[in-house]
Amino acid sequence: MTRRLLLSYLALAVLVLAGLEIPLGYIYARGETARASQDVERDASMLAEVTEENIEKGQLDALPDVVGDYATRAGGHVVVTDKQGIVLADSDPVARTGISLAAQPDIARALANQPTVTTTTDSGGRDVLSATMPGSSGTTIRGTLRLTYPLDQVSTRVHQIWGALALAGACVLAAVALVAFSMARWITRPLRTLEAATAQLAEGQLTTPPDASVGPPELRRLATSFTHTATRLQHLLKAQQAFASEASHQLKTPLTGLRLRLENFEPYLDPRAHGSLEEAVGEVERLGRMVQGLLALARLENAATTPEPVDLDTVLADRVAMWESLAAEQYVTLDITGPPVGSVWAIPGALEQIIDNLLANALRVSPPSTTITLQRVPGAELHVVDQGPGMNAADRERAFDRFWRSSESHHDGTGLGLPIVRHLIHASGGTITLRPAPGTGLDARIQLRPAAARTLGPRSGGEEFGARRARGQRTQTAGRP
């Protein structure tokens, strides 16, 4: 933003300078040319009077001295002719006299007692000011005089003034740039501190509040309001996190006690009531799993974690190895297919939870002697395909709603597994869709962002502990809707 403000100030200064200096330079150039034309015309008139007097008195020998002195003193070129247009004197030593110039337009006009002042080109190709005056007394024409003056000196003076104007403009622009840079830094300093504070808040903790003591009053008030809002938000998040942490412990005890009390009733109940007792115990267990799922979802939503490169193939092999024994008890096979995918972007521990939840859902609905396929597709895509009853289109649309379970579902899921999976995938920058599998079953398609390939060395002790902790916090209780 500093650069844009600086460029805008400089652009405005350039427009102002151009609007002032260009007309000024143009007016000066025209004025300088006009003054030179007036000087040449005046000198030509004076010389024409002098030469006409010498021609009238017959003092033709004095003409070369007159025109030569002027040419030496003023730097012009003077040619004098008689009334027939024959050259009588020329300030150029190598020029010829006695030739006729009567056919030239300016000489012909002067012989007709009409002066001419114009800009033309001399024999050397230079631009000159030319003034041709008749040497006359009244209506009697005794000769003509042509005075040409090179425009080099006029152009030099014009170029000098343009250079002076450009130098002045550059100095003004330098001063404007210095002032504009200072102002832009002063204006944007609060914005930079706000940006840094926003990034910190997005990471979950505001450690450096924005500076509310510098910058324009509006930005200072904005920084103060942001700090107040961020502080209030942090308090609310800490309170919510504290509730999620404490509720997980406070709710476990009464639910466990309730289950034990219900189970203790069994010896004293009529056998006909045992079915109802088992249903009540099952509901208590489902309530416990639901509480765990809610707390897990709350922790995920409160955590602001940056995605990191994770080896999908390694995580996939690790999770399948853990679930194989449970799948074998249900006579279900787990199969990994497709070429290796490599590293993908994911928040720490997310891939493990995603695969665990999807495998848990698939196992609940997979009949014996079927296969759950984990198919890898180039481009960081993973398919978890089961051979269960599948879902219709309406159910697939609502499958990610919290607590929603299909009316055709007969298992004891909580309806929180797929919402947790979707949250983890979105936080990692990916997407998930549910589609019908070939034949029967469901195809959960996960699209992640591929990460740059890198060598994954041995984990340090802290990393291994963090990985074990992330695996220990995985939620495996979520059911398919």
Side-chain angles (χ1 to χ4, degrees):
M1 185 174 180
T2 301
R3 185 187 307 169
R4 291 194 293 270
L5 286 175
L6 180 60
L7 291 177
S8 63
Y9 293 148
L10 290 178
L12 181 60
V14 168
L15 289 177
V16 172
L17 289 174
L20 293 176
E21 291 192 351
I22 292 178
L24 180 61
Y26 181 70
I27 291 173
Y28 177 82
R30 291 190 60 183
E32 193 68 22
T33 303
R35 283 192 296 273
S37 298
Q38 292 174 0
D39 292 344
V40 170
E41 184 178 3
R42 184 186 66 248
D43 291 350
S45 297
M46 295 174 58
L47 286 173
E49 292 179 1
V50 173
T51 56
E52 187 269 336
E53 182 178 355
N54 290 333
I55 293 174
E56 181 182 8
K57 294 178 179 180
Q59 300 175 354
L60 301 181
D61 295 339
L63 293 178
D65 295 333
V66 173
V67 299
D69 290 343
Y70 178 83
T72 302
R73 176 169 45 83
H77 179 214
V78 183
V79 176
V80 179
T81 70
D82 59 11
K83 59 183 179 180
Q84 283 80 30
I86 304 301
V87 177
L88 300 177
D90 195 320
S91 62
D92 187 358
V94 299
R96 294 168 52 194
T97 58
I99 60 175
S100 176
L101 301 180
Q104 297 185 4
D106 58 332
I107 298 296
R109 288 174 60 85
L111 292 175
N113 202 17
Q114 296 178 3
T116 302
V117 179
T118 185
T119 301
T120 184
T121 304
D122 63 3
S123 58
R126 298 181 304 170
D127 292 332
V128 295
L129 283 172
S130 176
T132 306
M133 298 295 173
S136 61
S137 297
T139 59
T140 303
I141 305 297
R142 294 186 175 87
T144 65
L145 181 138
R146 176 196 288 166
L147 171 60
T148 56
Y149 186 82
L151 287 174
D152 296 345
Q153 297 183 13
V154 177
S155 300
T156 300
R157 290 195 295 271
V158 170
H159 292 160
Q160 288 175 349
I161 192 62
W162 279 114
L165 290 174
L167 180 61
C171 294
V172 171
L173 282 178
V176 169
L178 181 61
V179 175
F181 181 75
S182 301
M183 289 186 62
R185 295 282 294 179
W186 177 69
I187 291 173
T188 58
R189 186 178 296 114
L191 295 179
R192 291 194 297 272
T193 60
L194 274 172
E195 181 183 8
T198 303
Q200 291 179 1
L201 187 61
E203 294 296 330
Q205 182 67 31
L206 179 60
T207 57
T208 307
D211 190 358
S213 62
V214 296
E218 296 82 0
L219 292 180
R220 293 202 296 268
R221 290 194 295 269
L222 176 61
T224 302
S225 300
F226 175 85
T227 302
H228 177 73
T229 302
T231 303
R232 177 64 176 163
L233 181 60
Q234 283 185 301
H235 287 326
L236 293 175
L237 289 176
K238 287 180 179 178
Q240 186 176 359
Q241 291 172 356
F243 168 78
S245 177
E246 294 172 1
S248 62
H249 298 286
Q250 297 298 328
L251 291 175
K252 284 180 181 179
T253 302
L255 288 174
T256 303
L258 178 59
R259 177 181 175 180
L260 291 175
R261 289 177 180 273
L262 290 174
E263 290 177 347
N264 289 337
F265 286 155
E266 185 175 3
Y268 306 102
L269 292 179
D270 188 281
R272 291 174 297 179
H274 286 177
S276 299
L277 178 61
E278 291 178 359
E279 292 179 0
V281 172
E283 288 297 321
V284 172
E285 292 179 350
R286 194 172 75 86
L287 180 59
R289 291 193 298 271
M290 186 177 297
V291 169
Q292 291 293 339
L294 283 173
L295 295 177
L297 193 57
R299 285 193 294 268
L300 290 175
E301 292 176 344
N302 291 335
T305 309
T306 303
E308 300 175 354
V310 181
D311 192 327
L312 176 61
D313 304 304
T314 301
V315 174
L316 196 60
D318 178 61
R319 303 323 302 157
V320 168
M322 197 216 52
W323 282 92
E324 275 182 338
S325 58
L326 181 60
E329 293 178 2
Q330 302 180 20
Y331 304 100
V332 176
T333 304
L334 302 182
D335 186 20
I336 301 176
T337 63
V341 172
S343 296
V344 297
W345 289 103
I347 62 176
L351 286 182
E352 290 87 346
Q353 296 186 57
I354 292 168
I355 296 172
D356 284 347
N357 276 284
L358 292 178
L359 285 177
N361 286 350
L363 280 174
R364 287 193 183 97
V365 298
S366 294
S369 302
T370 59
T371 300
I372 298 176
T373 304
L374 294 95
Q375 181 183 1
R376 297 172 296 192
V377 178
E381 187 173 340
L382 175 65
H383 295 229
V384 180
V385 184
D386 62 55
Q387 295 178 316
M391 291 184 182
N392 57 41
D395 287 349
R396 291 196 301 271
E397 289 293 329
R398 298 196 58 190
F400 295 104
D401 295 345
R402 297 183 184 183
F403 303 112
W404 183 86
R405 293 191 302 163
S406 172
S407 59
E408 301 177 358
S409 176
H410 301 291
H411 60 79
D412 56 354
T414 62
L416 290 174
L418 288 179
I420 290 176
V421 168
R422 182 178 62 175
H423 179 83
L424 291 172
I425 292 176
H426 286 181
S428 302
T431 59
I432 180 172
T433 57
L434 300 179
R435 300 184 182 181
T440 62
L442 193 66
D443 180 3
R445 300 189 179 186
I446 304 169
Q447 179 65 61
L448 297 170
R449 294 181 300 155
R454 66 174 186 176
T455 303
L456 299 176
R459 290 179 175 175
S460 64
E463 290 174 339
E464 183 63 32
F465 172 78
R468 288 198 302 269
R469 184 181 179 186
R471 287 196 293 267
Q473 293 176 346
R474 281 192 297 269
T475 303
Q476 302 179 13
T477 61
R480 181 191 295 263

